[in-house]
Amino acid sequence: MNPDDDDVGHSRSGVSRRTVLGSTGAVAVAGSLLATATAADAAVAPDAVGAPVVTVRVKVNGELRTVQVDPRVTLLDTLRERLGLHGTKKGCDRGQCGACTVHVDGRRVLSCLTLAATTDGREVTTIEGLARGDRLHPMQQAFVERDGLQCGFCTPGQIMSAVGMVQEGKASSDEEIRERMSGNICRCSCYPRIVDAIKDAQKVMR
Amino acid sequence: MRAYSFTQPRSVAEAVAHGGAGTAFLAGGTTLVDLMKLNVMTPDQVVDINRLPLHGITLDRDGLHIAALERMSDVAADRTVRRDYPMIAQALQLSASGQLRNMASIGGNLLQRTRCGYFRDVTTACNKREPGSGCSALAGINRIHAILGTSDDCVATHPSDLAVALVALETVVHLATAQGARTVPLDAFYTLPGTTPHVENVLRPGELITGISVPRSPWAAHSLYLKIRDRQSYEFALASAAVALDVHRGIIRQARIAAGGVGTKPWRLTSVERALAGRPANADTFESAVGNAADGARPLTHNAFKPALLRRTLIRALITLQERG
Ligand SMILES: Cc1cc2nc3c(=O)[nH]c(=O)nc-3n(C[C@H](O)[C@H](O)[C@H](O)COP(=O)(O)OP(=O)(O)OC[C@H]3O[C@@H](n4cnc5c(N)ncnc54)[C@H](O)[C@@H]3O)c2cc1C
Ligand code: SF4
Ligand code: FES
Ligand code: FES
């Protein structure tokens, strides 16, 4: 996180967090349960009537979205259950597999450990926001060409993580790629082809 | 997950005004959100501190100052840290994953909770989670557990890599409450489990970590962090060593040594430091100096390998550091 995140939030969304949350940042308490994830997900199912709701204005893949969320709900569940973006996958839901990797303000993070309420004023990019129209992102293209997947479940997370990794600085060896991508587990063990794809993509990425 | 109220203050004064028993500050959330999902942490109030102006990595005459909300990845990549305090950058780089390091803060890192599987599982007895319920690890699976500083009530390790490097370098931690600010040496900040393993440090309810300071020293720039684990990356330490040496004309003037993965808190090894001082910096010295490193260890059913692993890890760290010159 950098110190001028707040400015990003203000200028791009045009909304001050203060006006949304009030001067102390205390949330409004609504009478109904507006925003919870699926009932099947016990971890976020509400257990108190009248749970507080937070208004979140967040740019997702370039588009400003406003959602009201229970402060317990993760960014992952918000993307999948509220915004209809199912590309981001839920593997472990515990920060251990990397399947849920997205970018927040340009940095790769785990959406399963990010509370949606903390993304107000931020910019989120998911796998759906990577291509430019019909043109795949170089990392997507490389995963296709190198066949960097089998079942594909980990792939959106692998690609988002790989793009973030290259943006942090290109890797100079296979070993370095493996180390810096170690937060993304692939049950099908496609690792050699994933490394090949990243090597291809980082040649053409800026 | 239990319901909680949620606030996003913008100043330290506002944040600590909210603080008290039942309050959890939210930084990166990589410990807190995980443990709230497991119902291991059940705060009434979550205070998101990410709007606070606790940023900055600065070097001055006194040493290195890192504000609490700096992220692990940014500190690891900082040129000053890498040049003047390499073991801090290495300890961070060897922690967690790229995504987690982008999220996790320095303050939160120091307060991460143990990875003892029973602590994370609310269906089992655990004195740390539920005082008086018993310790499932004592007679259970305890391979990753501690051998130093343990008690009959808890044998869990403190899992932070960063804290091991910081304790070796005599770091102090800056704290704030509504009543005022104070500074505590990190080594004294952490407490032993004793009969109260649910108490892990001297932090008061609602007290905020605002930052840390690492003093200047002749040894910090000549330092190394070595981490031994079950897989090569994205894993906690079975044993780790933070070693710093001030060597002049081949003779060790002073040493600073701490170990991770073996203690109930980051484990400073002053006996090894004393055994190194004044001796030639070579393998023979290292070998004999670490002889007593595991004195007082209480191995458990599955971790009897740890005293030897600790000694070998320390020797390898010292030799590697010396070879790097
Ligand atoms: C899969 C996985 C692997 C990991 N591997 C490693 C590893 O190899 N090595 C390692 O060292 N760590 C590892 N970690 C732990 C990780 O480093 C910590 O979770 C992280 O540093 C916590 O920082 P945070 O900012 O996310 O804290 P949070 O989760 O936001 O907070 C943690 C705790 O500190 C409190 N808190 C946070 N900031 C403050 C503050 N400024 N003042 C007072 N209280 C505060 C919170 O209330 C909470 O109790 C791993 C974590 C995961 C999930
Ligand atoms: S070792 Fe500590 S944390 Fe683990 S079960 Fe025993 S009391 Fe709980
Ligand atoms: S689903 Fe987030 S890391 Fe596994
Ligand atoms: S392609 Fe199946 S988990 Fe990676």
Side-chain angles (χ1 to χ4, degrees):
Chain A
M1 170 158 332
N2 57 57
D4 48 30
D5 282 351
D6 286 341
D7 296 327
V8 173
H10 287 286
S11 59
R12 302 222 180 133
S13 67
V15 178
S16 158
R17 238 171 259 117
R18 244 164 223 280
T19 55
V20 175
L21 298 173
S23 59
T24 64
V27 299
V29 175
S32 63
L33 294 160
L34 288 178
T36 54
T38 51
D41 190 343
V44 293
D47 57 4
V49 176
V53 169
V54 184
T55 302
V56 177
R57 288 159 201 244
V58 55
K59 238 184 194 177
V60 181
N61 299 331
E63 195 185 324
L64 184 64
R65 310 289 295 258
T66 303
V67 272
Q68 303 216 296
V69 296
D70 182 306
R72 291 170 288 180
V73 170
T74 61
L75 175 59
L76 173 61
D77 286 334
T78 303
L79 291 169
R80 292 181 56 87
E81 313 294 340
R82 301 289 306 285
L83 300 178
L85 294 168
H86 301 121
T88 307
K89 300 296 184 234
K90 183 185 282 193
C92 64
D93 209 24
R94 295 284 177 274
Q96 299 177 0
C97 75
C100 66
T101 303
V102 299
H103 297 180
V104 173
D105 288 346
R107 289 161 69 111
R108 54 174 171 159
V109 300
L110 302 176
S111 60
C112 73
L113 292 184
T114 301
L115 294 180
T118 65
T119 62
D120 182 43
R122 302 195 179 278
E123 284 192 35
V124 176
T125 306
T126 69
I127 189 73
E128 290 93 340
L130 217 49
R132 290 281 159 269
D134 284 344
R135 243 185 74 219
L136 292 181
H137 184 282
M139 193 64 75
Q140 292 173 306
Q141 190 64 41
F143 267 70
V144 171
E145 282 167 10
R146 289 287 185 171
D147 213 2
L149 55 137
Q150 286 180 50
C151 78
F153 191 81
C154 73
T155 312
Q158 298 280 0
I159 291 177
M160 295 310 290
S161 185
V163 171
M165 187 214 85
V166 174
Q167 284 167 353
E168 287 159 15
K170 292 182 182 179
S172 54
S173 67
D174 289 14
E175 207 171 289
E176 186 185 333
I177 292 175
R178 282 194 206 99
E179 164 59 34
R180 290 172 58 196
M181 287 294 293
S182 67
N184 291 82
I185 309 292
C186 176
R187 291 276 43 161
C188 303
S189 215
C190 257
Y191 299 111
R193 290 179 181 198
I194 292 172
V195 171
D196 288 343
I198 295 172
K199 280 198 292 190
D200 285 358
Q202 71 171 9
K203 282 189 205 133
V204 291
M205 284 174 67
R206 272 186 302 124
Chain B
M1 202 188 297
R2 238 182 48 187
Y4 51 74
S5 69
F6 183 78
T7 53
Q8 295 183 299
R10 290 183 164 271
S11 69
V12 169
E14 253 180 90
V16 297
H18 282 295
T23 302
F25 295 116
L26 174 73
T30 61
T31 289
L32 182 60
V33 174
D34 185 25
L35 292 179
M36 287 195 306
K37 286 182 183 185
L38 295 167
N39 283 321
V40 170
M41 290 180 81
T42 52
D44 305 317
Q45 187 186 196
V46 171
V47 178
D48 176 5
I49 58 173
N50 289 294
R51 312 279 187 252
L52 305 187
L54 297 175
H55 297 283
I57 306 169
T58 51
L59 185 71
D60 65 15
R61 246 184 296 142
D62 301 328
L64 177 71
H65 310 281
I66 306 175
L69 286 177
E70 283 296 326
R71 304 295 146 160
M72 290 170 74
S73 55
D74 297 320
V75 178
D78 185 88
R79 276 175 194 214
T80 307
V81 176
R82 292 167 71 97
R83 184 192 62 214
D84 294 351
Y85 299 84
M87 69 151 78
I88 294 178
Q90 291 157 8
L92 288 166
Q93 201 62 48
L94 294 168
S95 297
S97 68
Q99 294 96 312
L100 287 160
R101 294 193 294 272
N102 277 343
M103 303 170 74
S105 67
I106 297 304
N109 185 293
L110 299 180
L111 295 173
Q112 65 176 286
R113 309 298 300 275
T114 185
R115 303 304 286 198
C116 170
Y118 303 106
F119 173 73
R120 293 171 60 80
D121 177 358
V122 293
T123 65
T124 62
C126 168
N127 288 322
K128 191 185 275 301
R129 178 167 34 73
E130 212 182 309
S133 63
C135 171
S136 300
L138 276 178
I141 305 293
N142 49 38
R143 182 168 175 276
I144 66 165
H145 289 70
I147 51 170
L148 293 163
T150 57
S151 74
D152 292 340
D153 291 320
C154 182
V155 293
T157 54
H158 191 278
S160 168
D161 292 296
L162 172 68
V164 176
L166 294 182
V167 159
L169 295 176
E170 295 165 330
T171 300
V172 296
V173 51
H174 305 292
L175 308 172
T177 58
Q179 280 69 51
R182 60 177 180 141
T183 293
V184 180
L186 186 59
D187 193 24
F189 176 78
Y190 292 115
T191 54
L192 293 173
T195 55
T196 54
H198 60 289
V199 181
E200 296 176 355
N201 53 55
V202 301
L203 204 67
R204 297 169 185 150
E207 197 166 27
L208 185 73
I209 296 181
T210 55
I212 58 168
S213 296
V214 197
R216 258 183 197 282
S217 67
W219 48 80
H222 188 50
S223 67
L224 179 127
Y225 188 78
L226 174 67
K227 182 173 176 180
I228 306 298
R229 39 191 165 172
D230 278 331
R231 60 180 176 194
Q232 207 161 359
S233 187
Y234 201 23
E235 186 54 275
F236 290 89
L238 279 177
S240 69
V243 298
L245 296 177
D246 175 20
V247 181
H248 185 67
R249 293 176 195 268
I251 303 296
I252 301 165
R253 287 205 280 215
Q254 284 213 58
R256 289 294 180 275
I257 314 281
V262 290
T264 50
K265 60 182 244 180
W267 208 256
R268 176 99 182 255
L269 286 162
T270 47
S271 64
V272 177
E273 294 172 6
R274 280 194 302 273
L276 289 166
R279 307 275 305 279
N282 61 34
D284 287 346
T285 298
F286 302 153
E287 190 90 37
S288 71
V290 308
N292 300 327
D295 277 8
R298 300 204 313 170
L300 304 160
T301 332
H302 304 120
N303 68 6
F305 63 91
K306 280 201 175 184
L309 182 64
L310 168 62
R311 287 189 294 269
R312 304 316 302 174
T313 304
L314 287 164
I315 293 170
R316 189 168 129 201
L318 287 161
I319 290 176
T320 310
L321 176 65
Q322 205 39 30
E323 281 172 354
R324 281 188 196 169

